[in-house]
Amino acid sequence: MLGLILGISDEYRMNKIEIGKNRRRIDLNRVCILVFLCVAQFSQAQTIAQDKMQQLQYMIGEWEGTSKQIKDGVVVSEVPASESIKYGLNKHIITIDLTSENLLLHTVITYDEVADTYLYHPFSMQASGKYPAEFENGRLIVSPTETVRYIFTQTPEGNFIEYGEKLIDGHWERYFEDTFWPSE
């Protein structure tokens, strides 16, 4: 872009043009530098969110697996599940589409630079929400309430797991677990 602007300025002899009724002279080289600095500053602001979203790269992919409901440490149901997780808007958001016999869920994850936090926006046919999340020790931790959290992580084998926990009597107990591996 700077080259284009500088190219235009070369068309004017002595790199100056006259404008307005007062016939003011503007140095096009100075205008070009100012425009370049503004564009560079805007580009830097965009890369902060993109860098934060890049931390969640391990989630991206087409996944298949199982969704388990857990009660008192025992699996009470298990159904096949699949997820499609993609970047969108030039890597400024992540969308998750979960499909199972028990749940259809569309989720959007964003990063709020002002609040310095991730935001998790789930949508089902029954409800929607907007919850804060943080990236800690290689895991995305979503906190809908002080006593419920969802954790998105990767196994050493490269599989993807998300699970929910409830705080009961001072310790976290898992109440669901979705385990995924790459679709073939």
Side-chain angles (χ1 to χ4, degrees), residues 120-147:
Y120 179 85
H121 307 262
F123 300 89
S124 71
M125 293 177 14
Q126 294 81 21
S128 66
K130 181 178 178 181
Y131 311 120
E134 60 184 307
F135 187 74
E136 185 178 292
N137 298 323
R139 308 177 310 163
L140 181 69
I141 303 170
V142 179
S143 302
T145 69
E146 291 181 12
T147 59

Side-chain angles (χ1 to χ4, degrees), residues 67-71 74-78 102 175-177:
S67 180
K68 301 173 188 172
Q69 297 297 314
I70 302 167
K71 185 169 177 135
V74 177
V75 175
V76 294
S77 75
E78 183 173 343
N102 299 335
Y175 71 97
F176 81 83
E177 178 178 299

Side-chain angles (χ1 to χ4, degrees), residues 31 39-40 56 83 108 120 135 145-146 170 184:
V31 171
V39 168
L56 306 179
E83 277 192 331
V108 178
Y120 179 85
F135 187 74
T145 69
E146 291 181 12
E184 302 212 19

Side-chain angles (χ1 to χ4, degrees), residues 7 42 45 50 72 82 96 103 107 109 113 115 126-127 151 174:
F42 180 72
Q50 289 172 327
D72 299 323
S82 64
I96 303 172
L103 182 63
T107 303
I109 299 172
E113 292 179 39
Q126 294 81 21
I151 299 171
R174 202 169 288 200

